[in-house]
């Protein structure tokens, strides 16, 4: 029969074994909790990575063969530092994306820098006359005339109308999506002193310098908000509407969805021809 001392020692051994088991169970519990936490972090990281990939692969960038042609004009004033003005002449016709219609750039990088050119624009709502000024932007004028002579603008629809803040009708994309261009870009020719009264014709472009192509906009109501203090990155003014601005007024009167989009009254440029 065990003595009291033996019983006490046996009880101490049982307590020690129980304590060891509890310690081991606690260690296993901590280890399992850590594993679950790590798995949770990895899952969250995977979700975040997926979101970032989806964001960076957003399809809102121009899709016309990687073209950098304008999808919009940017009216919000900015205080960003702009590069110093550089002489854009001789003109550079820089290949860019796939052409919405097959055309060739102007034949020479040194077009005339003086004189004015008149263009007759036949539209679905009446005729307009553009007077282009080489002294303002010889490269833009040369490209516009060249595209018109190759029928690039014929049977194209103006794709954007804005009716709040600034007032323009944007045209010149055969795709009528804002993504189409001639397959080349032209240099910016702004000086920073541009103004945008009603009747102004200016080149559209992206936020990147020297990204204008074929798209242009007509200002149908004075739009000082287009003056953004951008220096050489202002929108290049290259002419004015000398007759038929009421055609654009008619389109503007019908508005656009949310004040910025395809005009409710479609306007087709039937032909754009040089007036000899």
């Amino acid at each position: 029969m065990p003595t009291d001392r033996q019983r006490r020692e046996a009880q101490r051994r049982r307590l020690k074994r129980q304590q060891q088991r509890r310690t081991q169970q606690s260690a296993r519990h901590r280890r399992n909790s850590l594993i679950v936490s790590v798995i949770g972090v990895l899952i969250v990281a995977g979700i975040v990575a997926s979101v970032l990939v989806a964001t960076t692969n957003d399809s809102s960038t121009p899709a016309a063969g990687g073209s950098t042609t304008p999808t919009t004009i940017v009216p919000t004033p900015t205080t960003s530092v702009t590069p110093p003005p550089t002489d854009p002449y001789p003109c550079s016709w820089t290949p860019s994306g796939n052409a919405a219609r097959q055309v060739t750039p102007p034949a020479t990088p040194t077009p005339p820098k003086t004189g004015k050119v008149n263009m007759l624009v036949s539209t679905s709502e009446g005729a307009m006359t553009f007077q282009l000024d080489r002294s303002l932007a010889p490269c833009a004028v040369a490209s516009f005339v060249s595209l018109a002579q190759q029928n690039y603008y014929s049977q194209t629809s103006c794709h954007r109308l804005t009716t709040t803040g600034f007032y323009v009708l944007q045209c010149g994309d055969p795709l009528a999506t804002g993504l189409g261009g001639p397959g080349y870009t032209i240099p910016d020719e702004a000086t920073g002193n541009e103004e945008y009264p009603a009747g102004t014709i200016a080149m559209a472009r992206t936020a990147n310098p020297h990204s204008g192509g074929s798209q242009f906009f007509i200002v149908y109501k004075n739009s000082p908000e287009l003056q953004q203090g951008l220096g050489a990155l202002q929108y290049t003014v290259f002419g004015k509407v000398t007759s038929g601005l009421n055609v654009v007024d008619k389109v503007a009167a019908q508005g656009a969805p949310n004040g910025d989009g395809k005009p409710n009254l479609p306007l087709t440029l039937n032909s754009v021809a040089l007036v000899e």
Side-chain angles (χ1 to χ4, degrees), residues 35-119:
I35 292 171
V36 170
S37 298
V38 170
I39 292 173
V41 169
L42 291 175
I43 291 172
V44 171
I47 293 172
V48 171
S50 299
V51 171
L52 290 175
V53 169
T55 302
T56 55
N57 289 333
D58 192 296
S59 61
S60 62
T61 52
S67 173
T68 57
T69 48
T71 59
T72 186
I73 53 179
V74 185
T76 306
T78 178
T79 56
S80 300
V81 176
T82 58
T86 57
D87 188 357
Y89 194 88
C91 309
S92 55
W93 320 114
T94 305
S96 177
N98 296 327
R101 286 182 178 173
Q102 290 303 312
V103 289
T104 58
T108 175
T110 55
K113 299 178 70 174
T114 60
K116 296 179 180 179
V117 179
N118 292 314
M119 309 292 295

Side-chain angles (χ1 to χ4, degrees), residues 26 32 37-38 48 51 68 70 84 86 91 104 153-154 189 205 211 216-217 225-228 253 259 266 276:
S26 178
N32 293 338
S37 298
V38 170
V48 171
V51 171
T68 57
T86 57
C91 309
T104 58
Y153 292 121
S154 297
E189 296 174 275
R205 58 169 177 76
S211 57
F216 63 95
F217 60 89
E225 286 197 20
L226 289 172
Q227 298 172 259
Q228 304 171 71
E276 301 294 345

Side-chain angles (χ1 to χ4, degrees), residues 16-271:
K16 185 175 181 180
R17 287 194 297 271
Q18 290 172 356
Q19 185 175 7
Q20 288 174 341
R21 283 196 296 271
R22 284 195 294 269
T23 300
Q24 292 171 352
Q25 289 172 351
S26 178
R28 282 196 300 271
H29 178 73
R30 287 195 301 271
R31 185 171 60 253
N32 293 338
S33 297
L34 179 60
I35 292 171
V36 170
S37 298
V38 170
I39 292 173
V41 169
L42 291 175
I43 291 172
V44 171
I47 293 172
V48 171
S50 299
V51 171
L52 290 175
V53 169
T55 302
T56 55
N57 289 333
D58 192 296
S59 61
S60 62
T61 52
S67 173
T68 57
T69 48
T71 59
T72 186
I73 53 179
V74 185
T76 306
T78 178
T79 56
S80 300
V81 176
T82 58
T86 57
D87 188 357
Y89 194 88
C91 309
S92 55
W93 320 114
T94 305
S96 177
N98 296 327
R101 286 182 178 173
Q102 290 303 312
V103 289
T104 58
T108 175
T110 55
K113 299 178 70 174
T114 60
K116 296 179 180 179
V117 179
N118 292 314
M119 309 292 295
L120 179 62
V121 183
S122 171
T123 82
S124 55
E125 296 297 330
M128 293 189 287
T129 303
F130 293 174
Q131 186 178 80
L132 312 184
D133 192 338
R134 292 188 178 112
S135 67
L136 294 176
C139 301
V141 171
S143 178
F144 188 94
V145 171
S146 173
L147 291 173
Q149 291 176 325
Q150 297 179 76
N151 296 316
Y152 180 90
Y153 292 121
S154 297
Q155 297 302 314
T156 61
S157 297
C158 296
H159 61 274
R160 185 188 184 201
L161 175 73
T162 64
T163 60
T164 57
F166 61 107
Y167 309 93
V168 305
L169 178 68
Q170 191 165 327
C171 312
D173 172 15
L175 304 179
T177 61
L179 300 178
Y184 64 88
T185 58
I186 65 175
D188 297 327
E189 296 174 275
T191 64
N193 298 318
E194 284 70 22
E195 296 181 348
Y196 303 91
T200 299
I201 305 173
M203 293 302 300
R205 58 169 177 76
T206 70
N208 297 320
H210 311 305
S211 57
S214 61
Q215 294 184 42
F216 63 95
F217 60 89
I218 302 168
V219 182
Y220 63 89
K221 181 179 177 181
N222 293 352
S223 298
E225 286 197 20
L226 289 172
Q227 298 172 259
Q228 304 171 71
L230 293 175
L233 293 182
Q234 286 289 146
Y235 302 108
T236 298
V237 173
F238 67 102
K240 62 183 178 181
V241 178
T242 52
S243 69
L245 188 59
N246 61 302
V247 170
V248 183
D249 292 334
K250 183 178 180 180
V251 175
Q254 297 300 314
N258 301 316
D260 187 347
K262 287 193 174 183
N264 293 326
L265 176 62
L267 185 70
T268 299
L269 307 184
N270 296 326
S271 63

